[in-house]
Amino acid sequence: MTKQTLWTRNFLLITLVNFFLYFAFQMFPSALPPYLKTLGASDAILGWPQGILTIAILLIRPVAGMALDKRGRKGIFLWGILGMVVVTAAYHFFPVVGIILIIRFAHGLVWGIANTACSTIATDNIEKTRFTEGISYFSLTNGIAMALAPAVALSIGIQTSIWLGAAFLCVGFVLALFLHYQKTPAAPPQAEQKAARKKVAPYAKESILPSIIVFFVMITWGAVITFLALFGAERSIAHVGLFFTVFAVGQVVLRPVIGRLVDQRGFHAGIWPAVILTPVALLLLSISGNMGMLLICALLYGVGVGAAQSTLQAMAVVNVSKDRVGAANATYFTFFDGGIGVGAVIAGLLSPLLGYGGMFASMAICPVAAGILFFATAKKRTALKARTEETLEETIEINEGV
């Protein structure tokens, strides 16, 4: 069998666009908390910008997913990016805690649209035979941006971050203009449209389980991204932004390897690193007192979280029909972003009670819960896959008989 081409022109372009969008978006979760602290916000408030953003994402993603499946990709994607440019620039003009919370809500809406569209377009351009590997490379740009952007933002400050983020979004918009988009499907007859409206759900049921699992993993990221800078200041660890750089190294080195491994051996091969390394990293982080230990935590955390993200995104999308890819991506990223938002809020509530170290230690429970859920449902998934394959074989035999 001839190996299918992965790095097509379109796949390369959408991967680059994804990097610029993610980088611009991920500058704010780390830069905003110290900035809000200077504006008089308490620790309990610091988690809410991420929480409010998550509420907006929860509201818009199902709408975006259905719109992408019904209306096509191009217009929704381009308007989503332009909306991000406007909202990003707005942070500069309103240095007031209450108004920033409103901006965060708007930011969540436009991000939910642009990000769901971007992932859906990427899915359109990956061959099924190399799907997990392709998703691994595509989502690798998520991981690199999630790692580098916070470090950059913490080093240059919020105001410079705003304009750098807006510039990155403009570059992403220009690149998006050169994409070849999947054509909008022809509208079916009116009777079929009415029937379809009754059947179509905003979320893809096939994607619910991996999405719930990634929710538990990303709770930990919400805590890290919101409170690592303050944790470093408390422990007198300078240049904590290096944590995110080493985190990126862990993702860059192993994500593509894990993607190929999952394609060959199954999803469990990508979940084990997440279940083992992520809680270990969080427990070590909770007792870190110097840069060396912090960077070891970052490497372990990067490998664990990176393995979970690429594996679970592939798991969420690979078994849905083409007309439900938008809904599948909306499902996955709703829970993905939801975990970050919930994690930020919970961390904000726990840190005054347990301290930053105790809060990080308590977060180790979440990836363990994710692993338990994955392996507890493994037999059910295997049985369902066997029934699906059996039904498919029967259908083929019937068609051949006809």
Side-chain angles (χ1 to χ4, degrees), residues 189-275:
Q190 192 171 2
E192 291 183 22
Q193 289 185 44
K194 289 181 180 179
R197 277 195 291 267
K198 292 179 182 179
K199 295 178 182 178
V200 172
Y203 294 111
K205 64 180 180 179
E206 302 93 335
S207 307
I208 293 291
L209 178 61
S211 300
I212 293 173
I213 296 170
V214 85
F215 172 86
F216 283 106
V217 175
M218 297 315 295
I219 284 175
T220 67
W221 179 252
V224 170
I225 199 73
T226 305
F227 287 100
L228 184 68
L230 299 175
F231 172 77
E234 180 187 73
R235 300 289 174 97
S236 300
I237 304 174
H239 309 297
V240 292
L242 287 173
F243 176 97
F244 300 107
T245 304
V246 176
F247 172 86
V249 171
Q251 298 217 340
V252 169
V253 172
L254 284 183
R255 252 201 207 197
V257 176
I258 288 170
R260 288 192 292 271
L261 196 64
V262 169
D263 279 334
Q264 294 168 4
R265 300 190 179 182
F267 293 119
H268 67 278
I271 295 300
W272 276 116
V275 174

